[in-house]
Amino acid sequence: MASVQWHSRARKYEAEVQMCRLEVSAVDFSDYHPLKAITVTDSKARRGGRKGSTSSSSSSSSSVVLDPLSSMLDGSDPLSLFAAVSQTPALPHSISAGELGRKRREKEEEVGSDFEPWSSKRGEILSRFTTTEKLSINLFMGSDKSKASSPSSAVSEKVRTRLEELDDLEEGSQRELLNLSQQDYVNRIEELNQSLKEAWGSDQKVKALKIVIQCSKLLSDTSVIQFYPSKFVLITDILDTFGGLVYDRIWSMCADPHPLPESFSADDVNDTAKETCLNWFFKIASIRELVPRLYVEAALLKCNRFLTKSGIQETLQRLTAMIRGIGDPLVAVYARAYLCRVGMEVAPHLKDSLNKNFFDLLATFRQIHGESVQNQLAQQRVEIPIYLTLYSPAIHWILQCVAYRAPEVHTYTPLRGNSDMEYSNHRITQPSHLLFASLGRSLSCADPPESERLSILNDAWKVITKVRSPRDYINCAEIWVEFTCRHFTKREVNTILADIIKHMTPDRAFEDAYPQLQSVIKKILPHFHDFSVLFSMEKFLPFLDMFQKDSVRVEVCKSIMEVFIKHQQEATRDPVILNALLHICKTMHDSVNALTLDDEKRSLSLLINGFIRMVSFGRDFEQQLSFCVEARATFCNLEPVIIHLIHTVNQLAMETRCVMKGNHSRKTAAFVRACAAYSFITIPSLTSIFNRLNLYLLSGEVALANQCLSQADAFLKAAVSLLPEVPRTISIEGKQRSSEPFLLDFINNFLSTLLVVPDHPEQGVLYLVRGLLNMVQDYTWEDNSDAKIRVYISALPLLAAMSQESYLYTIPKVDSNETLYGGDPKFIAEINKLCETLIGQVLDHLKGLGRDEGVRRQGSLAFSLFGCLLAHGDLRNNKLNQLAVNLWNLSHKHGFCDTRTSVRTLEYIKHQAQLADLSHLSDMTARLSLQSRT
């Protein structure tokens, strides 16, 4: 292809914008509504219509597109439809009065938000009932022998095989894990929970049931009795998982042909689902030991809905009676707690079983002084007061279930029934701190009269503060923090914090009470959303200093920052808040090291950025910049925070220009230069090269917008000089990806900025454009890559825009090259020469692609260059016109060009050719042909 002479097409941007605007049509709003149905009338009458039919419209015409929203609404406004329904006294024919009554009863039977869920108690139990003794896990997972069955086996044979497998799990090999720490024990239980899910997912249902049975057996073991409540929480998590999997499995079997409604009855369940449900209960009935059989069946309590209407009620009564066969009172009370829990989830209105469980609980207390329990406590060296605290989570839960939405007479019945029990010979005394801890829990659920609250707090604290044991003290004190925060001011809360510090500081007792101390913080934060009040408490920060363990201290700081970001409505400059939160954020930042995971770094950065975002000194911009300088030094190890600070400073520079005008112009310019210096110094510290490139460009644009030309020039030159350092691959979320797409995006953005950047008087014409193109030329691109050529094609529109008399966009008070050169012929000649060089490079590359298997790439690049010539080149020039035709033909030569795009492009050219100044395109159109690959 011969060399060409480039001439840019003269553009009239304002006229082009006017041509692209949509036509304005008048709309009669008197009968208009956005949701009103669209009526489409066919001019032809529907043939073959029924005699006497009044229908004369049709929507079958292919030329008319109906509004899908109007067809869905059948011509009715949904709000009007709703209003019409609400005003109609009659019930819709699709819902009977009986069904409405059933729905109303079901709603009454649901547990509401006023019921404290088990999930809120779970964490407290795990943190409260801990042990340093070694634990063990005994598992009988069955032998590995397989039992083959013939394809013609009957259903009874399959059932017998399953039952043999269940027998095998009790007779199989034993796996015993000894000398486990508490954390090891928790990890093993979590592994079993995961194994349960994996077995279920791989359709090993019997194996899943084995895991659940063996875990349930662990609830019979009270060898480390002080850990039993936490063990109960961990094991019942597995039971809950299993119960949910079975229920969802049976539910899915009912989805054919239609899914069950939420308020289904047993009559709606198909026979296959019922048979599967019965099989599960048959398997459970074959479990020999009482405790695992009881727990597994309780876990599947909800599945009784698939069988009979009264199945849940009958099962609750039967399981309640079964618990009476458990000899250990501690094991029995937690079994009752679990049964009450699953009962409340599926049938909270069935109060009889709840009351029976409570009365049975009272009856078992006489066993505490029995020989069996006393020997067990003596063997484990556990005193009665400590032993009794193990009952508190279960008893508290059962009482909550019994009292929930119960009539007042029912609430008092258990208390009156207590007098019928003969406990006078079995009186049990507890230490005062346990009694006051129990009182504190009760007061957190029911507020006493306002006139009595202060006296209650004073009387209680007189006793609590005298408790000598730090462990007993903090277990009681952290409960009363909730009561204090709810009903009193920061003065009383500060007094409580001071007393806790006084008791927990000697001998570093706080090191053994981190869960309780964390609980104190979590109870304070919801009541003090005004952080100026929170941090004005003299003892709050000293209280935080007791968290000496790094991981715990960071978690506490994160919880404080989460509350601040969530509830702080307005930006602040309060020095009390800023100093305290800077200290807290610095604590989080200083926890980062080489082993910190990227997810944790992102989490900490989000919290710190949330704090920075809420700091504002109003129009005191210098103070705001000083804060950013301090923050940069404080959070230097978290790159997302540094990036956020640079964005903040750039935004600050823009705000300064908008606010400070007139007499403050010199001061404003000095401040903007200071902001630019901040960014210029900070950007090189970033590790991500694309973050550096983008921030150099952004900061250069901000400096340019503020008429700081030398600073803008420095930023843009720094970006250009950084391009050779871009690696060919970068890591994104742990995976290596090609950097080319990101580099091309950056270069295109950079090119669009260069239009408004004036040439430096000492650097020559288009020095930044030439510098960028030289860097692109010398960069080591990927093999078989067209990225460099695409940059050259992208540079042509920029150069064409630079040759216009008036630029497409400019920056106020900044003289771009259109003003500096004023359309000087030498300047235009330099642009044309550079364009010709770039086109020559593209054409040479296209020739090279024609000699190998790169014809698809050749067609794509040829079409891109054709589009560029069409939009920006002066095609009245014969050589340029002929080049455009050749590029069109080349792009279609091998049939890889998208036909739809080609057709639309050709139609556009024909439309443009109708304009007076583009009439020369009509001759070119005649020479453009469409070809397709055969």
Side-chain angles (χ1 to χ4, degrees):
M1 295 181 183
S3 61
V4 297
Q5 293 181 348
W6 172 268
H7 294 282
S8 299
R9 179 166 70 90
R11 305 289 294 274
K12 299 178 181 179
Y13 294 119
E14 293 184 1
E16 292 180 19
V17 170
Q18 292 294 333
M19 290 179 58
C20 294
R21 285 180 178 172
L22 297 176
E23 295 182 2
V24 179
S25 300
V27 178
D28 182 9
F29 286 95
S30 60
D31 192 33
Y32 172 76
H33 190 281
L35 296 180
K36 185 177 179 180
I38 298 177
T39 303
V40 181
T41 304
D42 195 349
S43 59
K44 296 181 180 180
R46 184 178 300 173
R47 292 187 178 182
R50 183 166 49 92
K51 185 177 181 180
S53 173
T54 59
S55 174
S56 61
S57 64
S58 172
S59 60
S60 61
S61 174
S62 60
S63 63
V64 179
V65 180
L66 291 179
D67 178 9
L69 295 180
S70 64
S71 61
M72 289 286 291
L73 295 173
D74 294 329
S76 300
D77 175 7
L79 299 181
S80 302
L81 182 62
F82 175 78
V85 172
S86 64
Q87 294 171 3
T88 303
L91 291 173
H93 70 277
S94 60
I95 302 178
S96 66
E99 289 176 336
L100 286 178
R102 185 178 67 179
K103 290 185 177 182
R104 189 181 301 110
R105 288 193 302 273
E106 288 171 354
K107 186 173 182 180
E108 292 173 353
E109 294 169 3
E110 292 178 356
V111 175
S113 58
D114 53 339
F115 185 82
E116 186 178 7
W118 174 256
S119 57
S120 65
K121 301 177 182 295
R122 182 182 180 280
E124 180 185 354
I125 296 174
L126 290 175
S127 62
R128 181 180 172 195
F129 297 97
T130 59
T131 183
T132 57
E133 297 184 31
K134 296 300 181 181
L135 302 164
S136 62
I137 298 178
N138 295 315
L139 297 176
F140 297 82
M141 293 308 295
S143 61
D144 296 329
K145 60 185 179 181
S146 61
K147 297 178 175 61
S149 59
S150 63
S152 60
S153 297
V155 174
S156 59
E157 181 65 25
K158 293 181 180 180
V159 172
R160 188 182 305 112
T161 301
R162 294 296 178 90
L163 294 177
E164 288 175 357
E165 289 176 345
L166 292 177
D167 287 338
D168 181 50
L169 72 88
E170 299 191 17
E171 299 171 356
S173 59
Q174 177 180 356
R175 181 186 177 193
E176 187 172 13
L177 302 174
L178 303 174
N179 298 321
L180 298 176
S181 66
Q182 177 179 320
Q183 188 58 48
D184 291 336
Y185 189 94
V186 173
N187 293 340
R188 295 297 180 274
I189 296 299
E190 290 295 333
E191 290 173 5
L192 287 171
N193 200 352
Q194 186 62 32
S195 298
L196 165 65
K197 297 175 184 177
E198 293 174 356
W200 188 274
S202 59
D203 203 28
Q204 300 180 59
K205 303 297 192 297
V206 173
K207 180 180 178 181
L209 180 57
K210 288 180 181 182
I211 294 173
V212 175
I213 293 173
Q214 296 306 313
C215 290
S216 301
K217 286 184 178 182
L218 297 176
L219 291 175
S220 302
D221 177 24
T222 57
S223 56
V224 183
I225 201 166
Q226 290 176 276
F227 184 66
Y228 190 85
S230 292
K231 180 198 291 188
F232 170 80
V233 170
L234 297 171
I235 299 300
T236 52
D237 283 349
I238 295 179
L239 287 163
D240 294 340
T241 300
F242 179 70
L245 291 172
V246 174
Y247 184 85
D248 292 343
R249 165 64 176 158
I250 301 174
W251 175 280
S252 66
M253 298 176 70
C254 303
D256 189 17
H258 302 292
L260 285 177
E262 290 293 334
S263 56
F264 73 92
S265 65
D267 296 335
D268 301 322
V269 180
N270 59 48
D271 292 339
T272 303
K274 286 185 177 181
E275 182 180 357
T276 302
C277 187
L278 283 171
N279 284 340
W280 277 109
F281 284 116
F282 289 154
K283 293 173 187 176
I284 295 170
S286 69
I287 301 173
R288 297 176 181 177
E289 296 183 24
L290 172 60
V291 172
R293 184 169 71 251
L294 172 71
Y295 272 101
V296 177
E297 184 171 1
L300 268 58
L301 178 65
K302 190 176 181 181
C303 294
N304 283 279
R305 291 186 63 191
F306 298 109
L307 299 178
T308 62
K309 182 178 180 180
S310 59
I312 291 177
Q313 182 175 4
E314 294 170 356
T315 303
L316 282 172
Q317 294 174 353
R318 180 168 49 82
L319 295 181
T320 299
M322 285 173 58
I323 296 177
R324 297 168 186 166
I326 299 177
D328 191 309
L330 185 64
V331 176
V333 73
Y334 277 94
R336 292 189 176 92
Y338 186 68
L339 185 59
C340 290
R341 176 153 75 86
V342 295
M344 287 295 291
E345 290 175 358
V346 299
H349 60 290
L350 298 177
K351 294 293 185 182
D352 289 344
S353 62
L354 297 174
N355 292 335
K356 287 180 180 179
N357 274 289
F358 179 76
F359 284 118
D360 288 349
L361 162 66
L362 297 179
T364 60
F365 268 103
R366 63 187 66 186
Q367 296 177 254
I368 293 176
H369 284 285
E371 183 178 353
S372 175
V373 174
Q374 292 298 316
N375 290 340
Q376 185 182 33
L377 297 182
Q379 183 180 3
Q380 298 192 37
R381 297 179 182 178
V382 176
E383 298 179 357
I384 281 287
I386 299 300
Y387 175 69
L388 291 176
T389 62
L390 304 179
Y391 286 79
S392 60
I395 294 176
H396 186 270
W397 178 260
I398 294 173
L399 283 174
Q400 179 182 346
C401 295
V402 170
Y404 182 68
R405 291 184 181 175
E408 190 171 328
V409 62
H410 289 171
T411 306
Y412 288 129
T413 297
L415 302 180
R416 292 201 306 270
N418 194 13
S419 63
D420 298 332
M421 301 296 175
E422 298 178 359
Y423 291 124
S424 56
N425 295 328
H426 301 280
R427 185 179 178 186
I428 303 170
T429 60
Q430 295 193 41
S432 57
H433 70 273
L434 296 179
L435 295 174
F436 277 93
S438 179
L439 175 61
R441 291 191 190 94
S442 301
L443 291 175
S444 66
C445 299
D447 296 334
E450 184 175 356
S451 59
E452 299 177 9
R453 292 170 186 171
L454 183 59
S455 60
I456 290 174
L457 179 61
N458 288 333
D459 292 342
W461 209 259
K462 289 177 183 177
V463 177
I464 297 171
T465 193
K466 293 179 181 179
V467 177
R468 295 183 179 180
S469 167
R471 179 178 179 180
D472 294 339
Y473 167 83
I474 193 60
N475 282 335
C476 187
E478 63 100 1
I479 294 171
W480 280 86
V481 170
E482 172 72 24
F483 178 78
T484 308
C485 292
R486 182 186 296 178
H487 300 299
F488 299 97
T489 65
K490 69 171 186 178
R491 177 175 172 273
E492 289 77 13
V493 176
N494 190 65
T495 302
I496 298 293
L497 294 180
D499 195 63
I500 294 176
I501 294 171
K502 177 182 176 182
H503 279 77
M504 303 306 295
T505 302
D507 300 325
R508 301 178 67 85
F510 54 77
E511 292 182 344
D512 298 323
Y514 285 140
Q516 291 83 354
L517 296 177
Q518 281 182 276
S519 177
V520 171
I521 293 294
K522 291 180 180 178
K523 290 175 180 177
I524 290 176
L525 291 176
H527 298 280
F528 288 90
H529 295 163
D530 187 345
F531 275 71
S532 61
V533 175
L534 179 67
F535 291 129
S536 65
M537 284 193 290
E538 181 184 354
K539 297 300 180 181
F540 185 77
L541 291 179
F543 184 88
L544 295 182
D545 290 338
M546 287 195 295
F547 294 98
Q548 297 291 314
K549 187 177 180 181
D550 289 344
S551 59
V552 177
R553 183 169 64 248
V554 171
E555 286 302 316
V556 171
C557 292
K558 287 169 67 176
S559 65
I560 294 173
M561 292 308 303
E562 287 169 357
V563 173
F564 174 80
I565 293 171
K566 180 178 181 180
H567 296 286
Q568 185 71 21
Q569 299 296 326
E570 299 179 353
T572 181
R573 60 186 300 172
D574 189 327
V576 174
I577 296 178
L578 297 187
N579 290 333
L581 291 183
L582 267 175
H583 171 73
I584 291 172
C585 289
K586 186 178 187 303
T587 300
M588 295 192 301
H589 167 271
D590 292 347
S591 68
V592 175
N593 54 46
L595 301 179
T596 304
L597 298 176
D598 290 339
D599 286 345
E600 177 67 9
K601 291 180 181 179
R602 279 193 290 268
S603 175
L604 295 177
S605 298
L606 284 173
L607 294 174
I608 296 174
N609 286 343
F611 160 62
I612 294 172
R613 199 175 292 112
M614 297 306 299
V615 177
S616 174
F617 291 89
R619 294 196 175 187
D620 191 348
F621 298 116
E622 293 182 356
Q623 184 66 30
Q624 189 83 31
L625 182 59
S626 298
F627 170 80
C628 292
V629 171
E630 182 181 0
R632 179 181 61 186
T634 305
F635 309 123
C636 57
N637 290 331
L638 290 174
E639 184 158 310
V641 178
I642 301 302
I643 294 173
H644 180 73
L645 285 170
I646 295 173
H647 281 287
T648 301
V649 170
N650 280 322
Q651 183 179 359
L652 187 63
M654 295 302 295
E655 291 177 357
T656 305
R657 174 62 63 180
C658 295
V659 174
M660 301 177 67
K661 299 178 180 178
N663 297 332
H664 301 286
S665 58
R666 292 184 178 179
K667 184 178 181 181
T668 302
F671 179 79
V672 171
R673 287 195 293 270
C675 291
Y678 178 98
S679 299
F680 196 78
I681 294 172
T682 309
I683 292 174
S685 67
L686 302 176
T687 58
S688 169
I689 192 165
F690 280 103
N691 283 334
R692 279 182 277 163
L693 285 171
N694 290 319
L695 286 172
Y696 273 134
L697 178 57
L698 173 65
S699 301
E701 291 169 344
V702 170
L704 198 63
N706 285 279
Q707 299 100 53
C708 296
L709 301 184
S710 60
Q711 284 76 13
D713 191 66
F715 280 117
L716 298 178
K717 286 198 295 187
V720 172
S721 63
L722 189 60
L723 288 177
E725 300 179 22
V726 176
R728 295 175 63 175
T729 60
I730 56 176
S731 177
I732 300 177
E733 296 182 354
K735 297 181 180 180
Q736 291 296 318
R737 302 288 177 86
S738 171
S739 64
E740 276 192 4
F742 303 96
L743 183 55
L744 287 176
D745 284 344
F746 169 77
I747 291 175
N748 287 332
N749 289 335
F750 193 89
L751 288 171
S752 65
T753 301
L754 290 182
L755 177 63
V756 295
V757 179
D759 283 340
H760 195 284
E762 299 178 359
Q763 300 292 338
V765 178
L766 303 177
Y767 81 101
L768 278 175
V769 178
R770 295 180 187 277
L772 175 65
L773 294 176
N774 288 336
M775 288 295 181
V776 171
Q777 175 70 29
D778 297 336
Y779 182 78
T780 305
W781 299 93
E782 294 183 13
D783 297 336
N784 299 321
S785 170
D786 300 322
K788 179 172 68 173
I789 301 304
R790 294 198 176 276
V791 172
Y792 290 163
I793 296 175
S794 298
L796 292 174
L798 167 67
L799 294 170
M802 283 184 166
S803 65
Q804 304 299 317
E805 293 183 3
S806 297
Y807 284 0
L808 178 60
Y809 49 86
T810 57
I811 295 178
K813 299 183 180 180
V814 174
D815 293 333
S816 301
N817 285 339
E818 61 172 341
T819 303
L820 295 182
Y821 295 106
D824 188 292
K826 294 182 179 179
F827 176 65
I828 302 300
E830 287 290 333
I831 291 177
N832 292 341
K833 183 178 179 181
L834 185 54
C835 289
E836 292 166 5
T837 302
L838 294 176
I839 293 175
Q841 293 282 342
V842 175
L843 296 179
D844 290 342
H845 184 75
L846 290 175
K847 290 178 182 178
L849 292 177
R851 291 193 295 266
D852 53 28
E853 298 180 357
V855 290
R856 180 185 291 271
R857 293 160 51 201
Q858 183 190 61
S860 176
L861 289 173
F863 195 79
S864 296
L865 183 56
F866 168 80
C868 183
L869 296 181
L870 177 65
H872 305 284
D874 186 356
L875 296 185
R876 290 175 297 183
N877 180 289
N878 291 333
K879 290 186 176 180
L880 203 58
N881 190 298
Q882 184 59 48
L883 175 60
V885 173
N886 292 342
L887 289 169
W888 172 275
N889 294 332
L890 179 62
S891 66
H892 290 75
K893 180 178 181 180
H894 299 284
F896 289 113
C897 195
D898 181 64
T899 303
R900 180 179 300 180
T901 303
S902 299
V903 170
R904 294 179 63 182
T905 302
L906 197 56
E907 290 176 351
Y908 170 78
I909 298 173
K910 291 178 180 179
H911 176 76
Q912 292 293 98
Q914 297 175 7
L915 302 177
D917 56 344
L918 295 176
S919 58
H920 57 276
L921 294 179
S922 58
D923 295 334
M924 187 182 77
T925 304
R927 292 183 289 160
L928 300 180
S929 60
L930 292 175
Q931 298 179 15
S932 60
R933 186 173 61 174
T934 57

